[in-house]
Amino acid sequence: MLMISPRMASGMQEKQYTPSLLSFFIYNPTFGPREGEEEKKILFYHPSEVEKNEKIRNVGLCEAIVQFTRTFCPTKPAKSLHTQKNRQFFFEPEDSFWIVMVVRNPMIEKPNKDGKPPTIEYQEEEILDTVYGAVVRQCYSMYKLFNGTFGRAMEAGGVELLTQKLEKFFYRYLQTLHLQSCDLLDVFGGISFFPLDKMTYLKIQSFVNRVEESLSLIKYTAFLYNDQLIWSGLEQDDMRILYKYLTTSLFPRHSEPELAGRDSPLRPEVAGNLLHYGRFLTGPTNLKDPEAKFRFPKIFVSTGDGYEELHLIVYKAMSAAACFMISASVELTREFCEQLDSLVGPQLTLLASDICEQFTINRRISGPEKEPQFKFIYFNHMNLAEKSTIHMRKTASVCLTSVHPDLMKILGDINCDFARVDEDEEIIVKAMTDYWVVGKKSDQRELYVILNQKNANLIEVNEEVKRLCATQFNNIFFLD
């Protein structure tokens, strides 16, 4: 991405380039061990139009770096390589399978007088290993969610099937990577939970139990409202990657006006006196269509001793979405989908109205929504809960933050310091101009606060953070 900043009155412009993906490839060194067979190692390479010898050379270089670093620490090979122009990230998700992502460093292009070519300055320290290392791991987790492990494809159809699956998945997925907006939230990979009162939560639990009892084929259920999780029957790590897929890919593609169906293309069906706005986000778009296809995406979730393959049914009514997972060995029919639609549609519509009403009452009590007084990011490693007042709407295409990128980098640096030690600690940084950045790590929880306090001192900043903890996290214990 290119950003242009005007310079003085001379009309000369300085161009700033954000980080971008140069290449992404997957290889297995055991597939082409002999000379002349190097190309067999390469299972996937983006961009595909790169000349064959260059692909072989780049993969060979990565292989050499990994092998060289193993001599120093056999159990922990290289994770990244820093050069002036780019940064390379290495990840071995399964034995001998390597994923490599090469990111071009941000750079500034400065014009020269007298028609000389512009000077390029690479900003080598602007990229954080923790952030982009997490992006590479996310790529694998997303592949595994929809395809299972690399080993599974090898067992089913050998190298040929694996390369087909990698090509099909990553060709589309890499287009959705927006490296310029990756930050601390990518490191956490957390889940935003919707705050609910006990009665409404019990209604949702009761709804889930009723549906699972009536439709015994359903193995797992997840319930979301406004892109935030309320209930999940999945393991945490499976839910975390499914949550990312739902909130950054599936839901944005099917976003609809939240006007109780007034502008919505949905058909209001009468069930008693109830308007029902339910519809399938995966599978058939219209149940009444005689040509409707009853195919649902398949996902893989972990079990005690392996993984299981499931159909993923996502059903939405207004702002509430229910995900139902059913064993892939079962064939889903029109009758089943009609039964699910008639059972879930009216109940989910009612629940969505109840939650919306509760949410409105809570907002009225807490006063009108305004710019948050405190800009903070909170993450709990135990239940993966995250909350941010720094990030505005996060969509498939971009994640907008309300603070300067330099401040986001300081947050990432503090997080790196926290990761190096197990003890609880607190770090306070005086940043540009009037900003203070505070990081607290306490009992598996992390809190990062950005304060804009003119002429404040350490004691005053500390008091402000205590006030934030008292108002926003009064039921969470932070060590002082």
Side-chain angles (χ1 to χ4, degrees):
M1 184 189 276
L2 168 65
M3 291 153 64
I4 295 177
S5 59
R7 284 277 170 191
M8 301 175 285
S10 63
M12 295 181 77
Q13 286 188 328
E14 191 178 87
K15 295 177 183 175
Q16 291 190 348
Y17 293 87
T18 54
S20 60
L21 183 68
L22 284 180
S23 59
F24 184 99
F25 47 92
I26 299 168
Y27 72 93
N28 187 321
T30 64
F31 290 173
R34 286 191 286 277
E35 203 173 323
E37 294 183 343
E38 290 88 355
E39 198 182 1
K40 291 180 182 174
K41 297 175 185 177
I42 305 170
L43 301 167
F44 172 79
Y45 199 104
H46 167 85
S48 56
E49 57 274 11
V50 170
E51 200 248 329
K52 183 179 92 170
N53 286 337
E54 191 184 336
K55 289 179 184 176
I56 291 169
R57 197 163 56 245
N58 290 341
V59 169
L61 177 64
C62 292
E63 206 182 330
I65 291 162
V66 168
Q67 283 303 107
F68 174 68
T69 54
R70 273 197 202 278
T71 58
F72 301 102
C73 186
T75 55
K76 287 186 180 175
K79 289 183 181 173
S80 68
L81 173 70
H82 299 208
T83 66
Q84 182 196 15
K85 295 183 180 179
N86 59 48
R87 187 81 57 96
Q88 298 186 20
F89 298 93
F90 314 105
F91 177 47
E92 186 183 21
E94 297 174 38
D95 194 31
S96 296
F97 286 97
W98 285 89
I99 299 177
V100 180
M101 180 171 80
V102 185
V103 178
R104 191 193 62 198
N105 289 331
M107 60 186 191
I108 298 173
E109 193 179 276
K110 295 183 174 178
N112 282 321
K113 293 173 185 173
D114 311 325
K116 289 179 185 171
T119 306
I120 290 176
E121 276 181 22
Y122 288 94
Q123 298 175 291
E124 297 169 50
E125 297 310 311
E126 290 304 303
I127 285 183
L128 286 171
D129 281 0
T130 48
V131 170
Y132 291 93
V135 170
V136 178
R137 291 193 296 277
Q138 232 169 55
C139 289
Y140 172 71
S141 297
M142 200 64 82
Y143 169 88
K144 194 170 74 163
L145 178 71
F146 290 103
N147 298 278
T149 60
F150 295 159
R152 178 186 175 275
M154 289 293 294
E155 286 166 22
V159 176
E160 193 180 339
L161 179 66
L162 178 58
T163 52
Q164 281 173 17
K165 281 180 173 287
L166 292 172
E167 198 73 49
K168 185 180 174 187
F169 177 81
F170 283 109
Y171 173 74
R172 288 171 62 190
Y173 184 71
L174 292 178
Q175 293 173 37
T176 69
L177 282 187
H178 297 276
L179 298 181
Q180 73 278 5
S181 63
C182 294
D183 58 34
L184 193 56
L185 288 195
D186 291 282
V187 177
F188 293 146
I191 295 169
S192 179
F193 287 91
F194 190 82
L196 265 189
D197 66 299
K198 285 177 188 166
M199 279 310 297
T200 316
Y201 182 78
L202 286 171
K203 282 181 188 175
I204 290 163
Q205 201 168 6
S206 169
F207 160 77
V208 170
N209 292 342
R210 279 199 309 273
V211 173
E212 287 185 350
E213 197 175 317
S214 305
L215 302 170
S216 56
L217 288 178
I218 295 171
K219 290 195 79 170
Y220 307 103
T221 305
F223 191 102
L224 298 93
Y225 184 84
N226 259 356
D227 293 3
Q228 292 177 293
L229 186 66
I230 293 175
W231 166 270
S232 167
L234 283 175
E235 288 289 327
Q236 269 190 359
D237 281 343
D238 292 322
M239 191 61 231
R240 132 193 277 175
I241 198 68
L242 178 60
Y243 177 80
K244 181 164 180 66
Y245 163 68
L246 294 171
T247 54
T248 62
S249 181
L250 185 69
F251 292 163
R253 283 207 311 269
H254 293 87
S255 58
E256 62 184 8
E258 173 54 8
L259 293 168
R262 194 177 70 198
D263 299 341
S264 169
L266 318 182
R267 76 280 181 249
E269 291 183 356
V270 179
N273 292 322
L274 171 70
L275 283 176
H276 143 33
Y277 295 108
R279 60 167 179 153
F280 289 92
L281 292 194
T282 59
T285 48
N286 181 2
L287 284 176
K288 300 284 185 283
D289 181 4
E291 302 293 309
K293 298 274 193 296
F294 293 89
R295 282 201 303 267
F296 292 88
K298 291 188 176 69
I299 62 169
F300 292 80
V301 302
S302 50
T303 57
D305 53 351
Y307 52 83
E308 59 182 323
E309 191 176 359
L310 304 163
H311 293 290
L312 174 65
I313 299 174
V314 183
Y315 189 89
K316 194 171 186 190
M318 290 144 72
S319 288
C323 305
F324 303 109
M325 284 145 270
I326 294 168
S327 174
S329 58
V330 176
E331 191 178 338
L332 298 180
T333 61
R334 177 186 292 274
E335 291 71 39
F336 176 81
C337 292
E338 284 173 348
Q339 191 185 353
L340 187 143
D341 184 55
S342 61
L343 174 73
V344 174
Q347 293 187 53
L348 194 59
T349 304
L350 266 180
L351 266 179
S353 301
D354 285 352
I355 300 168
C356 183
E357 199 177 315
Q358 189 61 45
F359 184 56
T360 310
I361 291 167
N362 291 346
R363 279 201 13 208
R364 253 203 317 272
I365 294 166
S366 61
E369 198 166 317
K370 49 186 183 286
E371 177 75 10
Q373 183 188 359
F374 298 100
K375 293 188 186 297
F376 68 83
I377 295 176
Y378 166 78
F379 180 67
N380 183 337
H381 288 269
M382 288 177 281
N383 64 357
L384 306 182
E386 77 178 16
K387 186 177 180 182
S388 171
T389 59
I390 288 172
H391 294 78
M392 293 171 276
R393 196 79 178 148
K394 186 161 185 162
T395 67
S397 57
V398 72
C399 173
L400 295 167
T401 55
S402 56
V403 300
H404 195 278
D406 288 353
L407 291 172
M408 293 306 296
K409 168 114 182 359
I410 292 171
L411 295 184
D413 288 333
I414 294 174
N415 173 257
C416 290
D417 286 340
F418 285 166
R420 289 192 191 102
V421 288
D422 289 332
E423 293 85 31
D424 295 341
E425 61 177 319
E426 183 171 17
I427 296 173
I428 300 178
V429 178
K430 176 79 169 79
M432 320 161 296
T433 58
D434 303 323
Y435 284 100
W436 288 82
V437 182
V438 182
K440 278 173 89 79
K441 180 186 178 188
S442 177
D443 190 30
Q444 296 287 305
R445 299 178 180 93
E446 293 180 32
L447 175 66
Y448 302 84
V449 186
I450 295 173
L451 297 167
N452 186 3
Q453 299 271 349
K454 225 174 188 176
N455 307 319
N457 58 36
L458 262 178
I459 295 167
E460 289 163 344
V461 167
N462 205 30
E463 287 304 314
E464 279 295 299
V465 173
K466 279 184 180 171
R467 200 154 64 83
L468 165 69
C469 291
T471 54
Q472 296 281 342
F473 305 102
N474 58 345
N475 57 345
I476 293 171
F477 174 67
F478 277 111
L479 291 173
D480 283 335

